[in-house]
Amino acid sequence: MGMTLTEKILANRAGLEHVSPGDLIVAKIDIAMATDISSPLTIKVFEEMGGEKVFDTRKVPLVHDHLVPAKDIKSAEFSKIMRNFAREQEIEYYYEVGRSGISHQLLPEQGLIHPGDVVLGADSHSTTYGALGCFASGVGSTDMAAAWILGETWLRVPESIKIRFTGTLPEWVAGKDMMLMVCRDLGLEGGTYRALEFGGPTIENMPMYDRFVFANMTIECGGKNGVVIADEKTREYLRERATKPEEEWMFFEPDEDARYCRELNYDVSDLQPMIAKPHLPGNVIPVAEADPVHVDQVYIGSCTNGRIEDLRIAAEVLKGRKVHSKTRMVVVPATETIYHQMLKEGLAEIFHEAGASIGPPTCGACFGAHMGVMAKDEVGVFTTNRNFVGRNGHTESDVYLVSPAVAAATAVRGVISDPRDVVG
Amino acid sequence: MIISGNVHKYGDNVDTDVIIPARHCVSVIEEELAAHCLEDLDKDFVNKVQPGDIIVAGANFGCGSSRENAPLAIKGAKVGCVVAKYFARIFYRNSINIGLPIMECPEAVDAIDAGDNVEIDIQAGTITNKTKNQTFTAAPFPEKMQEIINAGGMVSYVRNRIGKN
């Protein structure tokens, strides 16, 4: 029987001819990433396990992203744990404040992720890397510590769900809207223990940046990993940045007779901008059907959006317009490279003239830590990935999830808005 | 190991943000995390929980973030076991790795009410509701999980592998 894309990647890195769902395998690890918030516990467990050196200093990237720039004394002390460890271990890819960014955008940008790789990250959105045709999954600190010592991990081969998109996306509709629709249909648990395999002509024609959203939000359906079939666009993206030589990139394709536990088919030709209402990422309806509630804060950023392309879209909506007088807007470019590019292209000027605040690259308010946290009874429209109770601040705040275009349109009007009504 | 305690019952999709909010995640100390366990779901939980008590919850317990602080906070609160219809994948792995007893048993979840007195035999995989005099059998652990449990958690498992025990 044929294999799915995830099965092929895992079989290759486990040194096996064939794997099937349910098989327990031990796979070699290409990247084992941790962040400032997950590494302190990982380092503690690493030491308890008797770890002395990480298995490969080139394969353990450490990224300051969650608590940066340090928000208080406690987070400053916490960040220091990873800083010291990185120096002791002579970690090759250590990303310090000012040269860093949100890990899930930074690692692909810096060329650390390649098709066919097995990637673990001590953060649930580590599924993002699958957009480059690799297996990538989030783990906790103890699994990460074991990975740092052993250079391998045990995995249960997941069943796969095939998700196929056809049709051309209408203007102002993006990958985020497509993925919100998948979150609606799979629910918070429809992908649990499963791989989500994304493909079809719409994705093949889609620029690289928009493909990351699918793999990123796979975890919002409980998925173990999300994978996009790598192609010539992936190759082109990698040529500018890859740290591995091209002959080591492993482009796999699912077999025609691969077995899937479920298939979802979408024609996106008439898709509208979508919105996830509080308090679940799968609580999704078209923006046009959402109540026009007043919005206190719009937040553009996170590992889901906050790419330069996302900022260009938001700037296009905001150019020559103002953020509504009773609304505030926070823009957080995902990495320092993106920040720099935003300045060069004049996007920062557009945001400032519109009355938005631009923050430094950080996970920030996306996980409710700082830089735009919500107060009681406030309503937020975020381009992030989760809107659980209390996720972005007070337990009695309401957060909606949208694309950058919808976020920018909402900022202009001060109520949840369809970009086509603002720009039109 | 026999665990006996009173039940604290919650619904489906108890996510890691409500188990331990991000604002308290700048700690790796079980007791510090335990002081805020389930704070955003049930503010009273930390005041009423007694050592050995049992959390019973619906489907997809522990969904969301991969933060291992979540099972650590529950373990630090001296909860004896978490019984759910099923667990989110990362939470499941994290719990086994750190030695927090967990069991999947949808029938038990449906039949048990908050405040019931429940006894759990971890080895036998049985859940006995002493208040209602009913016994349930939980789903067995996958082979690899049982191997880690038998080793006494992931730390011991790795120490064995690298010859440190």
Side-chain angles (χ1 to χ4, degrees), chain B residues 21-32:
Chain B
R23 59 185 177 274
H24 303 304
C25 283
V26 280
S27 171
V28 297
I29 314 293
E30 263 178 43
E31 294 71 24
E32 281 180 23

Side-chain angles (χ1 to χ4, degrees), chain B residues 30-93:
Chain B
E30 263 178 43
E31 294 71 24
E32 281 180 23
L33 296 164
H36 303 286
C37 186
L38 290 168
E39 186 173 283
D40 283 356
L41 180 66
D42 177 1
K43 277 199 169 47
D44 274 343
F45 175 77
V46 290
N47 302 320
K48 60 191 182 194
V49 67
Q50 296 295 317
D53 275 1
I54 291 152
I55 292 176
V56 175
N60 206 25
F61 188 90
C63 60
S65 137
S66 66
R67 63 186 70 157
E68 202 163 291
N69 319 57
L72 268 185
I74 296 174
K75 194 174 170 221
K78 308 270 192 299
V79 167
C81 185
V82 184
V83 180
K85 288 193 176 175
Y86 65 88
F87 294 89
R89 192 188 68 81
I90 306 176
F91 185 92
Y92 185 91
R93 246 178 115 128

Side-chain angles (χ1 to χ4, degrees), chain B residues 97-117:
Chain B
N97 283 346
I98 67 161
L100 169 70
I102 56 170
M103 283 188 171
E104 290 185 330
C105 188
E107 304 79 22
V109 171
D110 285 336
I112 294 171
D113 290 309
D116 285 357
N117 185 257

Side-chain angles (χ1 to χ4, degrees), chain A residues 48-50 52 78 123-124 137-138 140-143 152-154 188-189 193 224 367 386 388 391 395, chain B residues 13 15 17 22 26 40 60 64-66 68 86-87 89-90 93-94 97 144 154 159 161-162 164:
Chain A
E48 285 168 10
M49 284 173 172
E52 286 161 13
F78 211 59
D123 188 278
S124 64
S137 194
S141 291
T142 299
D143 270 323
E152 60 184 38
T153 194
W154 73 266
L188 201 57
E189 60 215 48
Y193 296 101
K224 179 175 193 149
F367 78 118
R386 278 184 194 139
F388 298 149
R391 167 81 180 175
T395 51
Chain B
N13 300 320
D15 64 78
D17 279 291
V26 280
D40 283 356
N60 206 25
S65 137
S66 66
E68 202 163 291
Y86 65 88
F87 294 89
R89 192 188 68 81
I90 306 176
R93 246 178 115 128
N94 287 347
N97 283 346
K144 190 74 190 180
M154 193 66 174
R159 287 185 72 89
R161 277 278 309 272
I162 61 174
K164 293 265 182 176

Side-chain angles (χ1 to χ4, degrees), chain A residues 109 240 306-312 315 333-351 358 361:
Chain A
E109 173 194 276
E240 294 171 21
R307 295 186 173 77
I308 189 66
E309 294 86 352
D310 295 325
L311 301 186
R312 284 179 193 140
T335 69
E336 294 291 350
T337 308
I338 297 168
Y339 198 114
H340 188 72
Q341 187 65 24
M342 171 189 74
L343 291 174
K344 277 209 307 199
E345 293 183 17
L347 307 180
E349 212 174 317
I350 295 171
F351 294 135
I358 303 175

